[in-house]
Amino acid sequence: MELFVERLLAGLTNGSVYALLALALVVVYRATGTLNFAQGELALFTTFVAWWLTTLDAPVWVAIVAALIVGFVLGAAIERLLIRPVQRKNDMAVLIVALGLFTGLNSLAGLLWGSETKIMPSPFPNGLDDYVSVFGARLYGDALGVWAALIVLLGLMTLLFRRTRIGLHMRAVAANPESAALAGVRTGRILMVGWGLSGAIGALAGVLVTPLAPEQLGLTTMFHIFIAASAAALFGGLDSLPGAVVGGLTIGVLEALLSGYVSFIGGELQQTSALLIIVAILFIRPNGLFGSKRTVRV
Amino acid sequence: MTVLAPAARPQAAAPRTKYVIVENSPVHHAIRAACIAVAALGVLWASQLAPFRVGQFTTVFIMAIAIIGLNLVTGYTGLLSIGHSAFFGLGAYTTGVLIVKLEFAPLATIPIAMALTFVLGLLVGLPSLRIHGLYLALVTLAVAVAFPEIVRKLESLTGGAAGMVVRSRYLAPPEWTGLVRAQRGIWMFWLSAFVLVLVMILSRSLIRSRFGLMMRTVRDHEIAAAANGVGIARTKILVFGISGAITGLAGALFTMYIGALSPDGSFTLLKAIELVTGLVLGGVATQLGPLIGALAVVFLPYYTASFTTGPLSGVLFGAVLIALCFLMPEGIAGRLGLLIRRVVTVVPKDHPAPPR
């Protein structure tokens, strides 16, 4: 029982991280209708920025805020300078630019800060004694912090999309850019804000996860998280915020339980199981479990 | 969905060209023969170089075969794939395992490697029926990521993370070639060149066939294709199978050339990105694009590495990829084709010559 609860909690914590990055993917999708393949590496890069600031004796909270700002600016700049000029051409051009960013950002982080593993301090209490006991299992402070961040972010994002003008504009642009532009929405600015927001959310995911990740902050830290987050975002159909969260948590928990109880999968087939989840979901429901139906006009 | 390939379509500017050549006329044949002769001389010249250079060209040929496979799916059918490293890897490991565990002759493993990668291609093609564009890229990305994990997991067969070594005595040239074991380099050079030519001819005929036409209609307008009686599902799945088999063939040759396999060496997502880069750099949906792209991805890192090392070359790689999208979206072969078409037009025989 204790072991089960422990695995469940660990799964929920990992799942929250996946959900955070999945939210970033969903924001880009809802604002621009494309997928950002470089999302994980963008998050990695901003996390490195935060880590670098902490080595300069900046308080961890300041470093996180700085990372969020860098994430926003980078995201917006990427949209404006790299994605927008090619997006009109087609999906392939967007994919190539994203793959370029993927390798470029990863290597840039390695170039600037070296490839050895870094220790990112946690903004939450994460000492050995900072835990709450749940059914005998230990729930540490930084895990709780990630959960809290996810809940707050989900709330804020829902408010943004449902209650604010800019959120309405984002939905309008994603649904039909031309009509939105005709109705007076400044589509360019909205797209930039969308990418900027997702950059900032990715940065948040990055700084919160690395203190928890077994491999800490290295050049490959974000990779698995990105794969799992895409599975999570697809699970929810890419356009549903709660869907991304449910997807993230489901994948996190499934992963923890499978690797804990099914010895064949162990810790080594994590990516493969995420792959199988993606394919299975897309096969059963191409629009995801929470996704809205898209109709194609001939 | 369309693909980056404005160059693949004949330009409307035909009347402005200086020379008009009638297809299959003596002049056309002569030019074609001259091109083939130049290419043959080029290969002969390359085979005389130092062993290290011969090895580099062998790598180019193998990469070109792999990229031709990718070109069929991504270039001509418009199905984005960043999972082709898995086909390359499955082909390579099939050959490796058959030679090491069952003592197959290297050449005899090729059909089996191709059959297996064909089947894997059919499986990876299945999602393409319901998933489009970037989502398909995401699924294939996951395939690329899963492959090294599975190889590591199947340790008893593949040697796991430690990798697998094929002893060079297994890889000696067959006796009928008259080459001895020490001449493995030159044997692999000619074998790869031969297979590359074969694959190029095959891919050219495939693209020009009825099936190739179906591939391109699926790419250009799926709904219109379906309305005209193209079996979308059959076309997509079959193309993925063929593409997988060709890339798997490249993988099989790779094992015979390199003799040592490891999951993290050549079969990761980075390899898949390298294949895509080669395709885009050379020219999507062009006949010569894969070869030019392979030359670029083999030689460029080699030369940039001579003045930069490690991460900086990764940054350059990414920057080149992005710059290409802006400066030369049609790739080198596509751009060359555009330039040539400005000077020369080839028209079919039964077609009136365009007015001067």
Side-chain angles (χ1 to χ4, degrees), chain B residues 35-49 57 61 189-190:
Chain B
C35 289
I36 292 171
V38 169
L41 283 177
V43 176
L44 260 179
W45 167 77
S47 72
Q48 302 303 316
L49 295 170
F57 276 104
F61 297 153
F189 174 89
W190 283 111

Side-chain angles (χ1 to χ4, degrees), chain B residues 267-279:
Chain B
F267 313 113
T268 58
L269 177 65
L270 281 182
K271 188 65 162 188
I273 294 182
E274 197 180 320
L275 294 175
V276 174
T277 311
L279 179 60

Side-chain angles (χ1 to χ4, degrees), chain A residues 10-69:
Chain A
L12 283 174
T13 308
N14 280 340
S16 307
V17 173
Y18 303 156
L20 277 174
L21 202 64
L23 283 179
L25 287 167
V26 169
V27 169
V28 160
Y29 184 81
R30 283 187 70 151
T32 66
T34 51
L35 264 171
N36 182 5
F37 279 85
Q39 191 78 62
E41 302 314 300
L42 197 58
L44 180 80
F45 189 82
T46 47
T47 309
F48 264 96
V49 171
W51 167 82
W52 176 66
L53 287 173
T54 59
T55 62
L56 302 178
D57 287 334
V60 87
W61 287 102
V62 174
I64 289 181
V65 172
L68 292 183
I69 294 171

Side-chain angles (χ1 to χ4, degrees), chain B residues 48-331:
Chain B
Q48 302 303 316
L49 295 170
F52 170 68
R53 293 279 167 203
V54 170
Q56 273 185 325
F57 276 104
T58 310
T59 320
V60 169
F61 297 153
I62 292 172
M63 283 295 284
I65 297 169
I67 298 174
I68 289 175
L70 179 65
N71 197 15
L72 289 179
V73 148
T74 298
Y76 289 102
T77 321
L79 306 170
L80 301 182
S81 167
I82 33 181
H84 264 57
S85 58
F87 297 112
F88 193 69
L90 180 63
Y93 266 97
T94 306
T95 292
V97 169
L98 286 175
I99 295 176
V100 170
K101 305 272 172 187
L102 301 173
E103 303 206 358
F104 267 60
L107 286 177
T109 65
I110 288 180
I112 301 171
M114 287 181 76
L116 281 181
T117 45
F118 181 76
V119 174
L120 178 67
L122 298 182
L123 289 177
V124 177
L126 274 178
S128 73
L129 303 183
R130 306 189 61 167
I131 306 164
H132 291 103
L134 292 171
Y135 311 98
L136 185 63
L138 196 60
V139 172
T140 56
L141 168 102
V143 176
V145 174
F147 182 76
E149 274 192 341
I150 294 171
V151 166
R152 251 176 264 135
K153 190 74 197 177
L154 300 175
E155 203 166 347
S156 57
L157 201 60
T158 63
M164 142 187 256
V165 175
V166 185
R167 293 187 184 287
S168 70
R169 70 186 155 93
Y170 291 125
L171 294 175
E175 272 175 29
W176 52 263
T177 56
L179 295 169
V180 294
R181 207 206 289 182
Q183 289 166 301
R184 185 158 76 88
I186 198 76
W187 153 242
M188 282 314 298
F189 174 89
W190 283 111
L191 179 66
S192 315
F194 174 72
V195 174
L196 173 63
V197 170
L198 219 59
V199 168
M200 282 173 89
I201 295 171
L202 183 94
S203 128
R204 184 183 145 90
S205 339
L206 184 73
I207 289 152
R208 294 183 147 211
S209 70
R210 187 183 169 79
F211 185 70
L213 192 64
M214 288 180 179
M215 283 159 55
R216 279 171 288 149
T217 48
V218 167
R219 172 190 72 189
D220 293 337
H221 204 301
E222 199 173 316
I223 297 163
N228 281 292
V230 174
I232 304 280
R234 216 185 49 148
T235 309
K236 283 183 172 179
I237 291 184
L238 198 55
V239 165
F240 250 108
I242 297 171
S243 163
I246 292 177
T247 306
L249 166 66
L253 289 173
F254 180 76
T255 300
M256 291 158 63
Y257 164 64
I258 206 93
L261 303 174
S262 78
D264 300 316
S266 296
F267 313 113
T268 58
L269 177 65
L270 281 182
K271 188 65 162 188
I273 294 182
E274 197 180 320
L275 294 175
V276 174
T277 311
L279 179 60
V280 176
L281 200 68
V284 172
T286 57
Q287 305 279 351
L288 283 179
L291 180 57
I292 298 176
L295 279 167
V297 292
V298 172
F299 281 99
L300 276 185
Y302 172 72
Y303 285 112
T304 55
S306 59
F307 58 90
T308 62
T309 45
L312 188 53
S313 62
V315 177
L316 279 179
F317 195 67
V320 165
L321 205 50
I322 293 172
L324 261 179
C325 251
F326 285 83
L327 303 177
M328 208 161 54
E330 66 277 357

Side-chain angles (χ1 to χ4, degrees), chain A residues 37-106:
Chain A
F37 279 85
Q39 191 78 62
E41 302 314 300
L42 197 58
L44 180 80
F45 189 82
T46 47
T47 309
F48 264 96
V49 171
W51 167 82
W52 176 66
L53 287 173
T54 59
T55 62
L56 302 178
D57 287 334
V60 87
W61 287 102
V62 174
I64 289 181
V65 172
L68 292 183
I69 294 171
V70 172
F72 187 90
V73 172
L74 259 181
I78 288 171
E79 194 284 325
R80 181 68 193 87
L81 300 175
L82 300 179
I83 301 291
R84 199 184 304 174
V86 300
Q87 191 165 25
R88 259 170 283 112
K89 290 180 191 157
N90 52 52
D91 284 348
M92 180 138 180
V94 175
L95 176 71
I96 304 292
V97 169
L99 290 182
L101 280 172
F102 184 99
T103 50
L105 280 174
N106 192 302

